[in-house]
Amino acid sequence: MYKHGKVDTMYRAVKVRIYPTDEQESYLAQCFGNTRWLWNYMLNATTTAYKETGKGLSKVAMDKLLPGLKKEYEWLGLAYSQVLQRVTFNLSGAFVNFFEGRAKYPNFKSKHGKQSIQYPQNVKLMPQDSVIKFPGSLGLMKTVFHKELPDAKFTTVTISRKGDGRYYASILFNQEDTPIVAIRDAIGVDLGLKNFAITSVGSKYDLPKKQLALLEKNKKRKQRKLAKKTDKTSNKRRKAKRLVARISSKIARVREDFLHKLSRKIAYENQVICVEDLAVKNMVKNPNLAKAISDQGWGMFLTMLKYKAERFGHTYFEIGRFFPSSQLCSETLLLIPMLQNGYDSLSVRFVDCPHCQKQHDRDINAAINIRNEGLRLWALGTSASALGGDVRPKSSGRKKSMKTEAIPHELGSPHHTR
Ligand SMILES: [Zn+2]
């Protein structure tokens, strides 16, 4: 018999409201009926076997009955096959629990009251688009995600219809395989042209450049095709136009997905997050920088960082006045002569510091400066006793698990600084 996984603390269920279309609603009604019928059929079969032999039917034995049943009752196959297999999994589990004295004998399911089906895999959560993608005929389902989803793998998704006719999806996250992340006191984040973001702990993050370049190339090709279709009323032109729109939104989604994941990671792992105000950053006379602010999604990124930090009860702090973060030695706070020209010499990545004799990675050095200056200003504003780098903001002691590989493009942590 199958071992039935016990649901305990390493799982976390997140329940969201879903809004099926009329068509999806009738499909779900069919599936509820099919799984209920299958449960009752198998329960009956296994009860008979139990009476005759003293043993129930194993999941394997039940699954062997499925193909024959699908032939006999064609409508049974309308439900996604894994949803049906989930029924035999759950029923065999219920029998194991019964035989081992943990539960009562399984009951027949009634068509009254709450109905549910389970998708064990192949479900895709797309919170940015407010949809869940289910496999098979169900497809995209409008969903309201109220809160941040745990950054963990999820297993089963259960769709249920309550007595009042509302639909919900319950997503079971497995938090067992996620490493514990210690919450850092504070971090400085510098947004850059070479790398998207650089942190004071030495991590550099980049947009998925290769993927985006391929998509952009594809988009150009589709735009060229569209340009050739000059008849404004033709169906072919309309279709070409739709293809361009579709790839544009794909590109936007890929970028946004990166921004969401990175901002969530940084907001989650740090109690105080220090950044530079973009309007102030923009005052640096550098056309590349102004362009980057609008192109790269820096503004969107900071907005996300702010609300996510707040959601985790962490502090987001913007340095709202000019501060030469990229020109100071982060150890001594003295101006590094070579860097006084600021952004003009972007090709210089490392600098031998005349003050502390160390070699600074320019970007990480800037991020450390942002962190220290942010902490200093933030501390002045909130607690006079906490000054400098030793600020210890309210210690919440929360240490929740979090997957670090959520960000696909961490570029390593050079050890040139500190
Ligand atoms: Zn230095």
Side-chain angles (χ1 to χ4, degrees):
M1 276 270 224
Y2 258 55
K3 266 256 157 59
H4 205 244
K6 272 181 285 173
V7 176
D8 53 34
T9 46
M10 63 194 197
Y11 289 99
R12 182 175 155 203
V14 172
K15 200 168 170 187
V16 291
R17 180 110 185 250
I18 53 173
Y19 296 86
T21 61
D22 289 350
E23 204 180 330
Q24 286 174 323
E25 208 167 341
S26 64
Y27 177 74
L28 283 172
Q30 174 83 49
C31 292
F32 290 145
N34 285 9
T35 52
R36 190 175 62 233
W37 180 89
L38 184 64
W39 173 279
N40 292 342
Y41 179 93
M42 291 293 182
L43 177 55
N44 193 37
T46 203
T47 301
T48 308
Y50 177 55
K51 277 182 187 152
E52 284 169 3
T53 66
K55 284 197 290 189
L57 292 179
S58 69
K59 170 166 165 63
V60 177
M62 289 187 213
D63 282 346
K64 274 190 186 148
L65 296 173
L66 270 175
L69 286 174
K70 279 189 191 171
K71 250 181 216 161
E72 197 174 341
Y73 309 97
E74 266 178 45
W75 45 263
L76 192 59
L78 290 173
Y80 189 60
S81 62
Q82 287 186 343
V83 166
L84 294 177
Q85 280 165 29
R86 195 67 190 181
V87 172
T88 59
F89 175 82
N90 287 339
L91 183 59
S92 59
F95 268 102
V96 171
N97 286 337
F98 164 70
F99 287 127
E100 295 180 357
R102 285 193 296 269
K104 286 195 268 188
Y105 198 83
N107 280 324
F108 286 105
K109 290 204 186 292
S110 154
K111 67 175 174 184
H112 302 294
K114 185 185 153 181
Q115 304 289 318
S116 68
I117 53 169
Q118 290 187 329
Y119 285 83
Q121 57 191 43
N122 299 334
V123 176
K124 214 172 151 196
L125 306 181
M126 302 158 79
Q128 278 88 281
D129 300 322
S130 297
V131 290
I132 297 178
K133 190 178 181 196
F134 289 96
S137 320
L138 195 51
L140 293 175
M141 175 82 73
K142 190 185 160 202
T143 307
V144 174
F145 294 90
H146 282 292
K147 47 190 168 193
E148 286 288 293
L149 298 173
D151 216 334
K153 286 197 180 109
F154 63 94
T155 53
T156 316
V157 178
T158 306
I159 296 182
S160 58
R161 189 184 66 206
K162 289 285 163 61
D164 61 7
R166 291 182 181 195
Y167 290 81
Y168 295 90
S170 178
I171 308 146
L172 200 59
F173 287 89
N174 184 351
Q175 301 200 308
E176 182 190 27
D177 56 357
T178 56
I180 304 290
V181 167
I183 304 293
R184 223 173 273 120
D185 282 350
I187 200 166
V189 183
D190 189 23
L191 301 177
L193 297 173
K194 185 166 170 287
N195 303 119
F196 180 84
I198 304 99
T199 72
S200 55
V201 292
S203 301
K204 299 182 177 183
Y205 299 99
D206 249 347
L207 283 153
K209 281 180 187 159
K210 271 188 194 160
Q211 189 190 2
L212 284 169
L214 279 175
L215 286 168
E216 289 290 352
K217 212 171 135 191
N218 192 343
K219 183 180 167 183
K220 288 224 172 78
R221 200 164 55 228
K222 295 211 158 85
Q223 278 172 330
R224 276 198 301 273
K225 274 190 188 160
L226 172 63
K228 277 182 204 153
K229 301 197 173 20
T230 43
D231 177 5
K232 289 225 157 111
T233 55
S234 83
N235 267 334
K236 278 188 178 163
R237 185 182 145 86
R238 214 169 331 137
K239 202 179 157 200
K241 212 170 166 181
R242 203 163 56 223
L243 287 177
V244 171
R246 197 179 293 167
I247 195 142
S248 299
S249 78
K250 167 87 183 169
I251 290 168
R253 267 206 312 278
V254 168
R255 300 184 76 99
E256 246 185 81
D257 188 55
F258 166 81
L259 298 180
H260 267 294
K261 282 181 174 154
L262 181 59
S263 58
R264 177 166 59 195
K265 178 180 163 69
I266 292 174
Y268 181 82
E269 291 176 358
N270 301 282
Q271 290 201 8
V272 183
I273 299 115
C274 306
V275 299
E276 284 178 304
D277 184 289
L278 283 187
V280 177
K281 207 173 164 93
N282 199 11
M283 292 187 323
V284 179
K285 294 272 175 268
N286 180 326
N288 288 333
L289 205 61
K291 188 165 158 41
I293 290 172
S294 58
D295 284 6
Q296 297 279 84
W298 286 1
M300 190 190 270
F301 179 70
L302 292 188
T303 305
M304 288 176 178
L305 201 52
K306 182 167 191 280
Y307 80 73
K308 286 176 196 213
E310 280 163 5
R311 205 176 279 181
F312 292 125
H314 294 167
T315 302
Y316 168 89
F317 189 87
E318 269 181 17
I319 302 174
R321 61 173 196 198
F322 180 71
F323 171 71
S325 61
S326 58
Q327 300 165 31
L328 302 178
C329 160
S330 57
E331 304 255 330
T332 62
L333 290 186
L334 294 169
L335 276 170
I336 304 174
M338 236 198 113
L339 293 180
Q340 279 183 41
N341 293 330
Y343 291 90
D344 294 342
S345 49
L346 276 172
S347 56
V348 181
R349 307 320 306 171
F350 295 97
V351 58
D352 291 315
C353 180
H355 306 299
C356 70
Q357 318 301 331
K358 285 183 184 161
Q359 190 183 49
H360 293 297
D361 175 311
R362 249 188 97 149
D363 300 317
I364 298 171
N365 181 62
I368 295 171
N369 283 330
I370 290 170
R371 170 188 173 273
N372 292 343
E373 178 69 0
L375 273 183
R376 194 180 70 79
L377 293 173
W378 176 70
L380 285 176
T382 51
S383 154
S385 63
L387 278 170
D390 292 319
V391 172
R392 294 193 70 84
K394 56 182 189 318
S395 177
S396 64
R398 65 188 285 186
K399 280 190 171 63
K400 253 169 36 190
S401 57
M402 180 92 177
K403 215 161 85 183
T404 43
E405 61 264 41
I407 308 302
H409 290 270
E410 175 153 7
L411 303 172
S413 312
H415 299 290
H416 296 283
T417 49
R418 317 207 97 183

PDB file of all heavy atoms in Angstrom, residues 361-393:
ATOM      1  N   ASP A 361      35.733  46.962  -5.267  1.00  0.00           N
ATOM      2  CA  ASP A 361      34.845  46.775  -6.414  1.00  0.00           C
ATOM      3  C   ASP A 361      33.937  47.991  -6.398  1.00  0.00           C
ATOM      4  O   ASP A 361      33.215  48.233  -5.434  1.00  0.00           O
ATOM      5  CB  ASP A 361      34.026  45.488  -6.248  1.00  0.00           C
ATOM      6  CG  ASP A 361      33.000  45.313  -7.356  1.00  0.00           C
ATOM      7  OD1 ASP A 361      32.259  46.279  -7.642  1.00  0.00           O
ATOM      8  OD2 ASP A 361      32.912  44.218  -7.930  1.00  0.00           O
ATOM      9  N   ARG A 362      34.006  48.766  -7.448  1.00  0.00           N
ATOM     10  CA  ARG A 362      33.283  50.035  -7.489  1.00  0.00           C
ATOM     11  C   ARG A 362      31.825  49.942  -7.074  1.00  0.00           C
ATOM     12  O   ARG A 362      31.323  50.746  -6.311  1.00  0.00           O
ATOM     13  CB  ARG A 362      33.282  50.513  -8.938  1.00  0.00           C
ATOM     14  CG  ARG A 362      34.095  51.690  -9.181  1.00  0.00           C
ATOM     15  CD  ARG A 362      33.814  52.119 -10.586  1.00  0.00           C
ATOM     16  NE  ARG A 362      32.809  53.166 -10.537  1.00  0.00           N
ATOM     17  CZ  ARG A 362      32.769  54.124 -11.435  1.00  0.00           C
ATOM     18  NH1 ARG A 362      33.620  54.162 -12.419  1.00  0.00           N
ATOM     19  NH2 ARG A 362      31.852  55.053 -11.334  1.00  0.00           N
ATOM     20  N   ASP A 363      31.149  48.950  -7.651  1.00  0.00           N
ATOM     21  CA  ASP A 363      29.706  48.865  -7.435  1.00  0.00           C
ATOM     22  C   ASP A 363      29.383  48.442  -6.013  1.00  0.00           C
ATOM     23  O   ASP A 363      28.480  48.985  -5.380  1.00  0.00           O
ATOM     24  CB  ASP A 363      29.089  47.858  -8.411  1.00  0.00           C
ATOM     25  CG  ASP A 363      29.337  48.281  -9.851  1.00  0.00           C
ATOM     26  OD1 ASP A 363      29.183  49.481 -10.132  1.00  0.00           O
ATOM     27  OD2 ASP A 363      29.692  47.415 -10.666  1.00  0.00           O
ATOM     28  N   ILE A 364      30.130  47.476  -5.527  1.00  0.00           N
ATOM     29  CA  ILE A 364      29.856  46.993  -4.174  1.00  0.00           C
ATOM     30  C   ILE A 364      30.230  48.067  -3.160  1.00  0.00           C
ATOM     31  O   ILE A 364      29.527  48.307  -2.177  1.00  0.00           O
ATOM     32  CB  ILE A 364      30.611  45.672  -3.912  1.00  0.00           C
ATOM     33  CG1 ILE A 364      30.116  44.600  -4.893  1.00  0.00           C
ATOM     34  CG2 ILE A 364      30.392  45.195  -2.481  1.00  0.00           C
ATOM     35  CD1 ILE A 364      30.935  43.329  -4.882  1.00  0.00           C
ATOM     36  N   ASN A 365      31.319  48.764  -3.438  1.00  0.00           N
ATOM     37  CA  ASN A 365      31.735  49.877  -2.592  1.00  0.00           C
ATOM     38  C   ASN A 365      30.601  50.909  -2.494  1.00  0.00           C
ATOM     39  O   ASN A 365      30.274  51.395  -1.408  1.00  0.00           O
ATOM     40  CB  ASN A 365      32.995  50.509  -3.185  1.00  0.00           C
ATOM     41  CG  ASN A 365      33.513  51.671  -2.361  1.00  0.00           C
ATOM     42  OD1 ASN A 365      33.887  51.490  -1.199  1.00  0.00           O
ATOM     43  ND2 ASN A 365      33.518  52.859  -2.940  1.00  0.00           N
ATOM     44  N   ALA A 366      29.982  51.200  -3.628  1.00  0.00           N
ATOM     45  CA  ALA A 366      28.875  52.164  -3.633  1.00  0.00           C
ATOM     46  C   ALA A 366      27.701  51.646  -2.814  1.00  0.00           C
ATOM     47  O   ALA A 366      27.079  52.393  -2.042  1.00  0.00           O
ATOM     48  CB  ALA A 366      28.435  52.438  -5.072  1.00  0.00           C
ATOM     49  N   ALA A 367      27.415  50.354  -2.963  1.00  0.00           N
ATOM     50  CA  ALA A 367      26.284  49.776  -2.224  1.00  0.00           C
ATOM     51  C   ALA A 367      26.531  49.821  -0.717  1.00  0.00           C
ATOM     52  O   ALA A 367      25.618  50.068   0.075  1.00  0.00           O
ATOM     53  CB  ALA A 367      26.037  48.339  -2.690  1.00  0.00           C
ATOM     54  N   ILE A 368      27.795  49.599  -0.321  1.00  0.00           N
ATOM     55  CA  ILE A 368      28.129  49.667   1.112  1.00  0.00           C
ATOM     56  C   ILE A 368      27.937  51.095   1.617  1.00  0.00           C
ATOM     57  O   ILE A 368      27.395  51.325   2.706  1.00  0.00           O
ATOM     58  CB  ILE A 368      29.588  49.194   1.347  1.00  0.00           C
ATOM     59  CG1 ILE A 368      29.723  47.708   0.993  1.00  0.00           C
ATOM     60  CG2 ILE A 368      30.003  49.420   2.807  1.00  0.00           C
ATOM     61  CD1 ILE A 368      31.155  47.206   0.985  1.00  0.00           C
ATOM     62  N   ASN A 369      28.363  52.057   0.804  1.00  0.00           N
ATOM     63  CA  ASN A 369      28.166  53.458   1.184  1.00  0.00           C
ATOM     64  C   ASN A 369      26.690  53.794   1.338  1.00  0.00           C
ATOM     65  O   ASN A 369      26.298  54.519   2.246  1.00  0.00           O
ATOM     66  CB  ASN A 369      28.807  54.381   0.144  1.00  0.00           C
ATOM     67  CG  ASN A 369      30.317  54.451   0.297  1.00  0.00           C
ATOM     68  OD1 ASN A 369      30.834  54.302   1.411  1.00  0.00           O
ATOM     69  ND2 ASN A 369      31.027  54.645  -0.790  1.00  0.00           N
ATOM     70  N   ILE A 370      25.884  53.264   0.431  1.00  0.00           N
ATOM     71  CA  ILE A 370      24.440  53.524   0.495  1.00  0.00           C
ATOM     72  C   ILE A 370      23.869  52.929   1.785  1.00  0.00           C
ATOM     73  O   ILE A 370      23.063  53.557   2.469  1.00  0.00           O
ATOM     74  CB  ILE A 370      23.730  52.939  -0.754  1.00  0.00           C
ATOM     75  CG1 ILE A 370      24.113  53.768  -1.982  1.00  0.00           C
ATOM     76  CG2 ILE A 370      22.226  52.907  -0.553  1.00  0.00           C
ATOM     77  CD1 ILE A 370      23.676  53.154  -3.295  1.00  0.00           C
ATOM     78  N   ARG A 371      24.335  51.736   2.098  1.00  0.00           N
ATOM     79  CA  ARG A 371      23.865  51.098   3.322  1.00  0.00           C
ATOM     80  C   ARG A 371      24.232  51.945   4.546  1.00  0.00           C
ATOM     81  O   ARG A 371      23.391  52.240   5.395  1.00  0.00           O
ATOM     82  CB  ARG A 371      24.470  49.700   3.448  1.00  0.00           C
ATOM     83  CG  ARG A 371      24.245  49.044   4.787  1.00  0.00           C
ATOM     84  CD  ARG A 371      25.055  47.751   4.875  1.00  0.00           C
ATOM     85  NE  ARG A 371      24.993  47.187   6.216  1.00  0.00           N
ATOM     86  CZ  ARG A 371      25.811  47.523   7.207  1.00  0.00           C
ATOM     87  NH1 ARG A 371      26.737  48.443   7.009  1.00  0.00           N
ATOM     88  NH2 ARG A 371      25.689  46.969   8.387  1.00  0.00           N
ATOM     89  N   ASN A 372      25.501  52.330   4.628  1.00  0.00           N
ATOM     90  CA  ASN A 372      25.950  53.070   5.810  1.00  0.00           C
ATOM     91  C   ASN A 372      25.271  54.436   5.931  1.00  0.00           C
ATOM     92  O   ASN A 372      24.834  54.828   7.010  1.00  0.00           O
ATOM     93  CB  ASN A 372      27.480  53.236   5.772  1.00  0.00           C
ATOM     94  CG  ASN A 372      28.180  51.898   5.953  1.00  0.00           C
ATOM     95  OD1 ASN A 372      27.567  50.922   6.407  1.00  0.00           O
ATOM     96  ND2 ASN A 372      29.448  51.820   5.579  1.00  0.00           N
ATOM     97  N   GLU A 373      25.183  55.118   4.802  1.00  0.00           N
ATOM     98  CA  GLU A 373      24.552  56.441   4.837  1.00  0.00           C
ATOM     99  C   GLU A 373      23.056  56.304   5.134  1.00  0.00           C
ATOM    100  O   GLU A 373      22.506  57.074   5.921  1.00  0.00           O
ATOM    101  CB  GLU A 373      24.776  57.158   3.494  1.00  0.00           C
ATOM    102  CG  GLU A 373      24.124  58.522   3.370  1.00  0.00           C
ATOM    103  CD  GLU A 373      24.761  59.580   4.269  1.00  0.00           C
ATOM    104  OE1 GLU A 373      25.713  59.238   4.995  1.00  0.00           O
ATOM    105  OE2 GLU A 373      24.282  60.732   4.253  1.00  0.00           O
ATOM    106  N   GLY A 374      22.430  55.319   4.534  1.00  0.00           N
ATOM    107  CA  GLY A 374      21.010  55.087   4.789  1.00  0.00           C
ATOM    108  C   GLY A 374      20.752  54.788   6.256  1.00  0.00           C
ATOM    109  O   GLY A 374      19.851  55.350   6.884  1.00  0.00           O
ATOM    110  N   LEU A 375      21.571  53.915   6.793  1.00  0.00           N
ATOM    111  CA  LEU A 375      21.417  53.556   8.214  1.00  0.00           C
ATOM    112  C   LEU A 375      21.623  54.771   9.114  1.00  0.00           C
ATOM    113  O   LEU A 375      20.918  54.961  10.100  1.00  0.00           O
ATOM    114  CB  LEU A 375      22.424  52.465   8.600  1.00  0.00           C
ATOM    115  CG  LEU A 375      21.998  51.028   8.363  1.00  0.00           C
ATOM    116  CD1 LEU A 375      23.068  50.074   8.866  1.00  0.00           C
ATOM    117  CD2 LEU A 375      20.661  50.730   9.050  1.00  0.00           C
ATOM    118  N   ARG A 376      22.603  55.593   8.735  1.00  0.00           N
ATOM    119  CA  ARG A 376      22.910  56.774   9.546  1.00  0.00           C
ATOM    120  C   ARG A 376      21.684  57.714   9.559  1.00  0.00           C
ATOM    121  O   ARG A 376      21.213  58.121  10.627  1.00  0.00           O
ATOM    122  CB  ARG A 376      24.121  57.494   8.960  1.00  0.00           C
ATOM    123  CG  ARG A 376      24.751  58.537   9.864  1.00  0.00           C
ATOM    124  CD  ARG A 376      25.944  59.176   9.179  1.00  0.00           C
ATOM    125  NE  ARG A 376      25.564  60.030   8.055  1.00  0.00           N
ATOM    126  CZ  ARG A 376      25.099  61.274   8.198  1.00  0.00           C
ATOM    127  NH1 ARG A 376      24.977  61.804   9.390  1.00  0.00           N
ATOM    128  NH2 ARG A 376      24.763  61.985   7.141  1.00  0.00           N
ATOM    129  N   LEU A 377      21.160  57.999   8.372  1.00  0.00           N
ATOM    130  CA  LEU A 377      20.024  58.924   8.271  1.00  0.00           C
ATOM    131  C   LEU A 377      18.781  58.321   8.916  1.00  0.00           C
ATOM    132  O   LEU A 377      18.028  58.997   9.615  1.00  0.00           O
ATOM    133  CB  LEU A 377      19.741  59.254   6.797  1.00  0.00           C
ATOM    134  CG  LEU A 377      20.828  60.058   6.089  1.00  0.00           C
ATOM    135  CD1 LEU A 377      20.508  60.158   4.602  1.00  0.00           C
ATOM    136  CD2 LEU A 377      20.957  61.448   6.697  1.00  0.00           C
ATOM    137  N   TRP A 378      18.592  57.056   8.665  1.00  0.00           N
ATOM    138  CA  TRP A 378      17.401  56.388   9.204  1.00  0.00           C
ATOM    139  C   TRP A 378      17.456  56.393  10.725  1.00  0.00           C
ATOM    140  O   TRP A 378      16.465  56.652  11.407  1.00  0.00           O
ATOM    141  CB  TRP A 378      17.336  54.954   8.675  1.00  0.00           C
ATOM    142  CG  TRP A 378      16.207  54.168   9.237  1.00  0.00           C
ATOM    143  CD1 TRP A 378      14.880  54.336   8.972  1.00  0.00           C
ATOM    144  CD2 TRP A 378      16.298  53.096  10.170  1.00  0.00           C
ATOM    145  NE1 TRP A 378      14.133  53.430   9.675  1.00  0.00           N
ATOM    146  CE2 TRP A 378      14.969  52.659  10.421  1.00  0.00           C
ATOM    147  CE3 TRP A 378      17.354  52.448  10.815  1.00  0.00           C
ATOM    148  CZ2 TRP A 378      14.695  51.606  11.303  1.00  0.00           C
ATOM    149  CZ3 TRP A 378      17.070  51.411  11.674  1.00  0.00           C
ATOM    150  CH2 TRP A 378      15.755  51.003  11.916  1.00  0.00           C
ATOM    151  N   ALA A 379      18.634  56.121  11.251  1.00  0.00           N
ATOM    152  CA  ALA A 379      18.794  56.092  12.701  1.00  0.00           C
ATOM    153  C   ALA A 379      18.545  57.471  13.307  1.00  0.00           C
ATOM    154  O   ALA A 379      17.928  57.602  14.358  1.00  0.00           O
ATOM    155  CB  ALA A 379      20.188  55.596  13.062  1.00  0.00           C
ATOM    156  N   LEU A 380      19.019  58.502  12.630  1.00  0.00           N
ATOM    157  CA  LEU A 380      18.799  59.866  13.116  1.00  0.00           C
ATOM    158  C   LEU A 380      17.310  60.158  13.216  1.00  0.00           C
ATOM    159  O   LEU A 380      16.852  60.818  14.135  1.00  0.00           O
ATOM    160  CB  LEU A 380      19.447  60.886  12.171  1.00  0.00           C
ATOM    161  CG  LEU A 380      20.963  61.006  12.248  1.00  0.00           C
ATOM    162  CD1 LEU A 380      21.459  61.972  11.189  1.00  0.00           C
ATOM    163  CD2 LEU A 380      21.374  61.480  13.643  1.00  0.00           C
ATOM    164  N   GLY A 381      16.592  59.618  12.253  1.00  0.00           N
ATOM    165  CA  GLY A 381      15.165  59.900  12.206  1.00  0.00           C
ATOM    166  C   GLY A 381      14.353  59.086  13.194  1.00  0.00           C
ATOM    167  O   GLY A 381      13.231  59.460  13.534  1.00  0.00           O
ATOM    168  N   THR A 382      14.884  57.974  13.623  1.00  0.00           N
ATOM    169  CA  THR A 382      14.041  57.098  14.436  1.00  0.00           C
ATOM    170  C   THR A 382      14.566  56.900  15.847  1.00  0.00           C
ATOM    171  O   THR A 382      13.796  56.841  16.795  1.00  0.00           O
ATOM    172  CB  THR A 382      13.924  55.694  13.791  1.00  0.00           C
ATOM    173  OG1 THR A 382      15.245  55.235  13.511  1.00  0.00           O
ATOM    174  CG2 THR A 382      13.119  55.743  12.539  1.00  0.00           C
ATOM    175  N   SER A 383      15.887  56.818  15.999  1.00  0.00           N
ATOM    176  CA  SER A 383      16.411  56.548  17.325  1.00  0.00           C
ATOM    177  C   SER A 383      17.755  57.221  17.477  1.00  0.00           C
ATOM    178  O   SER A 383      18.693  56.908  16.767  1.00  0.00           O
ATOM    179  CB  SER A 383      16.547  55.042  17.537  1.00  0.00           C
ATOM    180  OG  SER A 383      17.548  54.787  18.497  1.00  0.00           O
ATOM    181  N   ALA A 384      17.846  58.159  18.372  1.00  0.00           N
ATOM    182  CA  ALA A 384      19.068  58.944  18.532  1.00  0.00           C
ATOM    183  C   ALA A 384      20.193  58.103  19.099  1.00  0.00           C
ATOM    184  O   ALA A 384      21.359  58.399  18.913  1.00  0.00           O
ATOM    185  CB  ALA A 384      18.806  60.146  19.424  1.00  0.00           C
ATOM    186  N   SER A 385      19.867  57.049  19.774  1.00  0.00           N
ATOM    187  CA  SER A 385      20.915  56.251  20.407  1.00  0.00           C
ATOM    188  C   SER A 385      21.583  55.298  19.423  1.00  0.00           C
ATOM    189  O   SER A 385      22.655  54.791  19.674  1.00  0.00           O
ATOM    190  CB  SER A 385      20.337  55.466  21.585  1.00  0.00           C
ATOM    191  OG  SER A 385      19.365  54.573  21.093  1.00  0.00           O
ATOM    192  N   ALA A 386      20.923  55.053  18.342  1.00  0.00           N
ATOM    193  CA  ALA A 386      21.492  54.119  17.384  1.00  0.00           C
ATOM    194  C   ALA A 386      22.166  54.880  16.251  1.00  0.00           C
ATOM    195  O   ALA A 386      21.521  55.521  15.450  1.00  0.00           O
ATOM    196  CB  ALA A 386      20.388  53.222  16.818  1.00  0.00           C
ATOM    197  N   LEU A 387      23.463  54.816  16.209  1.00  0.00           N
ATOM    198  CA  LEU A 387      24.195  55.556  15.189  1.00  0.00           C
ATOM    199  C   LEU A 387      25.159  54.649  14.455  1.00  0.00           C
ATOM    200  O   LEU A 387      25.628  53.654  14.984  1.00  0.00           O
ATOM    201  CB  LEU A 387      24.993  56.690  15.837  1.00  0.00           C
ATOM    202  CG  LEU A 387      24.208  57.963  16.141  1.00  0.00           C
ATOM    203  CD1 LEU A 387      25.047  58.887  16.998  1.00  0.00           C
ATOM    204  CD2 LEU A 387      23.797  58.659  14.866  1.00  0.00           C
ATOM    205  N   GLY A 388      25.481  55.060  13.254  1.00  0.00           N
ATOM    206  CA  GLY A 388      26.513  54.353  12.521  1.00  0.00           C
ATOM    207  C   GLY A 388      26.097  52.961  12.096  1.00  0.00           C
ATOM    208  O   GLY A 388      24.921  52.643  12.013  1.00  0.00           O
ATOM    209  N   GLY A 389      27.071  52.145  11.859  1.00  0.00           N
ATOM    210  CA  GLY A 389      26.811  50.826  11.279  1.00  0.00           C
ATOM    211  C   GLY A 389      26.320  49.804  12.280  1.00  0.00           C
ATOM    212  O   GLY A 389      26.007  48.693  11.914  1.00  0.00           O
ATOM    213  N   ASP A 390      26.285  50.172  13.550  1.00  0.00           N
ATOM    214  CA  ASP A 390      25.898  49.184  14.539  1.00  0.00           C
ATOM    215  C   ASP A 390      24.415  49.228  14.898  1.00  0.00           C
ATOM    216  O   ASP A 390      24.000  48.655  15.891  1.00  0.00           O
ATOM    217  CB  ASP A 390      26.714  49.351  15.818  1.00  0.00           C
ATOM    218  CG  ASP A 390      28.170  48.978  15.572  1.00  0.00           C
ATOM    219  OD1 ASP A 390      28.390  47.971  14.873  1.00  0.00           O
ATOM    220  OD2 ASP A 390      29.042  49.703  16.037  1.00  0.00           O
ATOM    221  N   VAL A 391      23.682  49.937  14.068  1.00  0.00           N
ATOM    222  CA  VAL A 391      22.244  50.023  14.315  1.00  0.00           C
ATOM    223  C   VAL A 391      21.624  48.640  14.353  1.00  0.00           C
ATOM    224  O   VAL A 391      21.874  47.818  13.485  1.00  0.00           O
ATOM    225  CB  VAL A 391      21.576  50.818  13.175  1.00  0.00           C
ATOM    226  CG1 VAL A 391      20.078  50.759  13.297  1.00  0.00           C
ATOM    227  CG2 VAL A 391      22.071  52.242  13.206  1.00  0.00           C
ATOM    228  N   ARG A 392      20.884  48.387  15.372  1.00  0.00           N
ATOM    229  CA  ARG A 392      20.130  47.140  15.398  1.00  0.00           C
ATOM    230  C   ARG A 392      18.658  47.467  15.454  1.00  0.00           C
ATOM    231  O   ARG A 392      18.132  47.771  16.514  1.00  0.00           O
ATOM    232  CB  ARG A 392      20.521  46.294  16.613  1.00  0.00           C
ATOM    233  CG  ARG A 392      21.961  45.799  16.538  1.00  0.00           C
ATOM    234  CD  ARG A 392      22.205  44.723  17.559  1.00  0.00           C
ATOM    235  NE  ARG A 392      21.480  43.503  17.193  1.00  0.00           N
ATOM    236  CZ  ARG A 392      21.967  42.610  16.344  1.00  0.00           C
ATOM    237  NH1 ARG A 392      23.125  42.808  15.767  1.00  0.00           N
ATOM    238  NH2 ARG A 392      21.289  41.531  16.078  1.00  0.00           N
ATOM    239  N   PRO A 393      18.017  47.415  14.330  1.00  0.00           N
ATOM    240  CA  PRO A 393      16.597  47.735  14.320  1.00  0.00           C
ATOM    241  C   PRO A 393      15.823  46.676  15.091  1.00  0.00           C
ATOM    242  O   PRO A 393      16.366  45.605  15.369  1.00  0.00           O
ATOM    243  CB  PRO A 393      16.219  47.697  12.849  1.00  0.00           C
ATOM    244  CG  PRO A 393      17.466  47.373  12.101  1.00  0.00           C
ATOM    245  CD  PRO A 393      18.506  46.948  13.058  1.00  0.00           C
TER     246      PRO A 393
END
